[in-house]
């Protein structure tokens, strides 16, 4: 763990601020050229990236890191090629900057336009995979922002190599190299300095587990966009088609259990419990899912383990699911309000009225009607890419694409207009 | 000063959260009826409101409060009627809730809609005038939110009476009375409890001076929207029409000096200084404005006092203005970046190119071209009303109307859609 002083972190943030000012007015062409230069450089310099990654992997192995984590950390030539390709895809997306969000002429003749502008300096605090280093940089640059990257210390050598490659690539373009910087230091202390860099950093986006996100939310004076924690529920309405409900539940729970849009809870209307639960429990068993159920759920399966309060609040991210029988749609909504994280909830129903009520009453970033919770995702939503999934209500909610990395500015044009009252 | 315990504040916030859940799905008709009921009650019960206000005013007088402040605090029958009329105007505005922000069918047939929903519980911390109590409540209710009001202790009796009247009026409507509540206590401590009520309160909007806003930003774990501090500049370009520039400057500085969109700085291109400054300084003098200028400005007027660094950063809110001569548009932009608060800047120019560059380079909520800075205002912008002017980049920037008091929700409708990869 290497320390960094407050001055060192603020100096880097100050350079990012300066870079952001230069970057903001650049046209799309300049940003796309820079992204393509980064993609080229990642391919050309893959050997040194892989070498740096090997040292992270070796350190992780020595430290006894689990193989699943080591797989997330590891880069290969193919993975680097995929990272470069993702950068090219971001370059191909439309530029959100300059888009008119509203525009009209006021009664007094003033012309008003609200246009998208970059946020400025975006700080990303993340764990896990080194590909996030490049993905996050590509999205922030494309939206005209400078980025400060603070990855996991376990990927420090990989991240350093990746950022070096990106900065060198930028040096041959119109974009300032300081548009992409690693936050110095690998200790908790350097994150704290970043979180207090109000005035230099415009927004922090923590990506990772609940502990990381809570600590940023608690301590940051820089505005934060919360991402990622997903305690998602599937509600099987009285009127549901049983087969369709089972398919959606299995897909939502098992198609990729380790991600935030996987289902963690199933709520079953009492009127359909007898038709649905035996089939559903068998299907879950076939997929090796452990069901944590209330008394009514347990009456349908001997292998259902008793659910605690804790179970209903837990984001398992594993082959576990909490289950309960509810007497009404409203009771399902109340359960979600009490235990959910406001990420994604799904209703399976054939009733138009029930769908409408569920959509109106559930207060989550995404509400699925007869579709798997797994669809809450920037690419699936057609955004081309995402920087994360916001579970807060301010600024952005749900998957965040390029427009969510912008702010707006009002441009008002007159001919000597003066205010009378 | 009366204390309130953490439990008391959280209890009120919890009731607001419950009210918000009931309020969110209500249709426009219910909200408009409630607002009109509030307006009626304000008129009917004006005598008791005025009586409560008299006791605030008497206390302020005893405490030696300045007459200007007492005028802000004072209510009259006419003022109460104007407050009620403003509530009716909010009722007449379109309901932002339910508006589709985006909507399309994805390649796999999923139908995606992003719709506006209320934020939930909005906390307003404010100083000054009791009319804010009603204005803020009307705007938050209309946008489907519950509101927690924390006004100045100097207006405590007035605010208590106003909130009583509003809650009683709500009791006869579909809206829960707990949609509008006063935060208990008048001490700093009760504000602190409110700022830490994350999970119960969705957003805090401080309205007031820089000290209030900074303390909320520093201490709050609830997301904050910063409002109001305006160190606004007028830049007179080399190509400006002198008369038009003088008119805009005088309007921006003197039409209402005590508000955030008044100009506090004038920056003059060196090439027009000789033509502009003698006329401008005379006009400012005629309006009793004290000019704090750099050496070049002082060479045009004996009564110009020397400007310090402090002057350029100050939001005077008085008949004072800081002035400097700059050698280029870029130097003006650099000055604004260094000293400005990101609220509103204006350029006076006849050059299309200069206007375009200034708009592109200035990073403020509003940029005026040949118009007074005083136009940055929700009513002037055609929003019908405003809850404040955001000077931050996240969520809302510039004047905030009803849509800025909402979040969004994705509603995704399928027919048993499952995710494949």
């Amino acid at each position: 763990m290497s320390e960094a002083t407050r001055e060192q972190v603020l100096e880097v943030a100050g350079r990012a601020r300066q870079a952001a000012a230069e970057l903001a007015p650049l046209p799309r062409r300049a940003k796309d050229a820079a992204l393509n230069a980064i993609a080229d450089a990642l391919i050309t310099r893959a050997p040194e990236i892989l070498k740096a990654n090997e040292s992270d992997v070796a350190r992780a192995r020595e430290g006894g890191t689990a193989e699943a984590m080591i797989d997330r950390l590891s880069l290969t030539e193919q993975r680097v090629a995929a990272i470069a390709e993702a950068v090219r895809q971001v370059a191909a997306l439309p530029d959100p900057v300059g888009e008119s969000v509203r525009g009209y002429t006021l009664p007094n003749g003033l012309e008003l336009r609200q246009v998208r502008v970059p946020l400025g300096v975006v700080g990303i605090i993340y764990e896990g995979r080194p590909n996030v280093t490049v993905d996050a940089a590509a999205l922030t640059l494309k939206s005209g922002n400078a980025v400060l990257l603070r990855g996991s210390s376990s990927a420090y050598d990989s991240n350093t190599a990746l950022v070096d490659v990106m900065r060198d690539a930028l040096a041959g373009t119109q974009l300032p190299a300081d548009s992409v910087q690693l936050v110095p230091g690998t200790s908790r202390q350097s994150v704290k300095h970043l979180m207090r860099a109000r005035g230099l950093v415009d927004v922090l986006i923590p990506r990772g587990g609940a502990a990381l996100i809570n600590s940023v939310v608690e301590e940051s004076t820089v505005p934060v966009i919360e991402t990622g924690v997903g305690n998602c529920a599937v509600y099987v309405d009285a009127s549901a088609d049983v087969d369709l409900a089972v398919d959606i539940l299995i897909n939502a729970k098992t198609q990729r259990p380790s991600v935030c849009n996987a289902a963690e809870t199933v709520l079953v209307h009492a009127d359909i419990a007898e038709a649905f639960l035996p089939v559903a429990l068998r299907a879950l068993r076939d997929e090796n899912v452990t069901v944590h159920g209330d008394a009514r759920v347990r009456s349908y399966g001997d292998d259902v383990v008793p659910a605690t309060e804790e179970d209903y609040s837990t984001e398992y991210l594993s082959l576990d699911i909490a289950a309960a029988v509810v007497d009404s749609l409203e009771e399902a909504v109340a359960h979600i309000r009490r235990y959910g994280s406001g990420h994604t909830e799904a209703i399976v129903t054939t009733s138009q009225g029930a769908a409408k009520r569920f959509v109106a009453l559930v207060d989550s970033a995404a509400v699925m009607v007869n579709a798997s919770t797994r669809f809450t995702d920037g690419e699936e939503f057609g955004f081309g890419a995402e920087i994360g999934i916001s579970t807060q209500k301010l600024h952005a909610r749900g998957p965040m694409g390029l427009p969510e990395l912008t702010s707006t500015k009002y441009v008002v044009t007159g001919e000597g207009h003066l205010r009378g009252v």
Side-chain angles (χ1 to χ4, degrees), chain A:
Chain A
M1 299 276 277
S2 82
E3 266 300 1
T5 63
R6 180 161 178 275
E7 287 63 36
Q8 286 171 313
V9 173
L10 294 187
E11 204 242 312
V12 164
R15 287 211 304 265
R17 182 124 219 101
Q18 180 56 39
E22 293 170 38
L23 180 51
L26 291 180
R28 171 172 181 172
R29 189 184 305 181
K31 293 182 279 189
D32 291 355
L35 290 178
N36 287 320
I38 285 175
D40 291 344
L42 288 167
I43 300 292
T44 319
R45 293 173 61 182
E48 69 190 90
I49 294 167
L50 295 177
K51 199 165 166 211
N53 184 249
E54 274 167 27
S55 89
D56 283 335
V57 169
R59 220 172 44 241
R61 279 236 157 73
E62 278 164 32
T65 304
E67 273 309 310
M69 291 293 284
I70 286 179
D71 181 58
R72 286 179 171 219
L73 179 62
S74 300
L75 293 175
T76 61
E77 209 173 312
Q78 274 164 324
R79 284 183 179 184
V80 172
I83 292 171
E85 182 51 33
V87 174
R88 288 190 212 285
Q89 281 169 16
V90 172
L93 292 173
D95 186 349
V97 174
E99 188 199 341
S100 271
V101 177
R102 359 181 185 201
Y104 43 74
T105 302
L106 291 160
N108 60 8
L110 275 179
E111 288 172 24
L112 179 143
R113 269 192 321 134
Q114 185 184 18
V115 293
R116 287 201 187 281
V117 296
L119 284 167
V121 177
V122 177
I124 319 266
I125 304 175
Y126 54 105
E127 299 168 334
R129 308 164 191 232
N131 65 313
V132 174
T133 306
V134 180
D135 286 352
L139 288 165
T140 43
L141 290 181
K142 175 78 189 200
S143 47
N145 298 289
V147 67
L148 292 173
L149 297 157
R150 180 50 164 76
S152 160
S153 56
S154 65
Y156 189 76
D157 291 337
S158 313
N159 290 342
T160 303
L162 289 165
V163 168
D164 279 350
V165 168
M166 289 194 281
R167 289 172 55 88
D168 289 350
L170 289 181
T173 74
Q174 281 185 264
L175 272 61
D178 283 339
S179 306
V180 179
Q181 291 180 92
L182 218 53
V183 177
T186 57
S187 72
R188 287 270 310 132
Q189 203 52 41
S190 78
V191 182
K192 288 208 178 169
H193 299 318
L194 181 64
M195 294 192 295
R196 312 294 294 187
R198 193 178 180 90
L200 294 176
V201 181
D202 293 289
V203 58
L204 282 183
I205 306 178
R207 287 178 53 161
L212 168 69
I213 289 162
N214 284 337
S215 91
V216 176
V217 162
E218 278 289 324
E219 297 175 35
S220 184
T221 56
V222 173
V224 174
I225 301 179
E226 272 188 81
T227 69
V229 176
N231 182 8
C232 305
V234 174
Y235 166 62
V236 182
D237 186 47
S239 74
D241 175 302
V242 166
D243 291 342
L244 193 134
V246 172
D247 288 349
I248 286 177
L249 174 62
I250 296 296
N251 184 265
K253 179 66 255 180
T254 68
Q255 195 256 338
R256 198 168 165 205
S258 64
V259 291
C260 62
N261 57 19
E264 306 291 10
T265 298
V266 56
L267 302 169
V268 183
H269 193 288
D271 292 352
I272 203 171
E274 195 155 341
F276 173 76
L277 275 172
V279 192
L281 293 176
R282 199 177 321 125
L284 288 165
R285 197 181 305 124
D286 289 348
E287 298 284 341
N288 297 311
V289 177
T290 303
V291 179
H292 307 253
D294 66 2
R296 287 196 275 184
V297 174
R298 289 203 302 279
S299 72
Y300 293 97
D302 294 343
D303 53 351
V304 177
V305 301
T308 61
E309 281 281 300
E310 177 82 14
D311 281 304
Y312 294 118
S313 329
T314 299
E315 186 188 21
Y316 293 116
L317 301 175
S318 63
L319 287 173
D320 291 85
I321 194 162
V325 172
V326 293
D327 290 315
S328 65
L329 182 147
E330 284 69 22
E331 196 184 322
V333 170
H335 180 108
I336 289 164
R337 236 172 232 282
R338 180 159 173 201
Y339 298 107
S341 65
H343 189 296
T344 302
E345 326 301 334
I347 180 173
V348 188
T349 187
T350 57
S351 155
Q352 173 66 17
K356 195 163 186 284
R357 243 177 330 141
F358 190 80
V359 164
L361 295 177
V362 165
D363 186 26
S364 297
V367 184
M368 301 285 163
V369 178
N370 295 325
S372 171
T373 56
R374 288 276 294 118
F375 284 107
T376 301
D377 172 275
E379 297 233 20
E380 294 293 329
F381 275 15
F383 302 169
E386 72 170 34
I387 190 86
I389 296 177
S390 164
T391 51
Q392 72 177 32
K393 293 191 193 166
L394 236 55
H395 184 72
R397 197 178 191 203
M400 291 186 287
L402 290 170
E404 284 71 25
L405 285 169
T406 65
S407 181
T408 61
K409 177 199 277 185
Y410 286 99
V411 179
V412 182
T413 308
E415 294 135 3
H417 281 66
L418 309 178
R419 186 155 165 196
V421 285

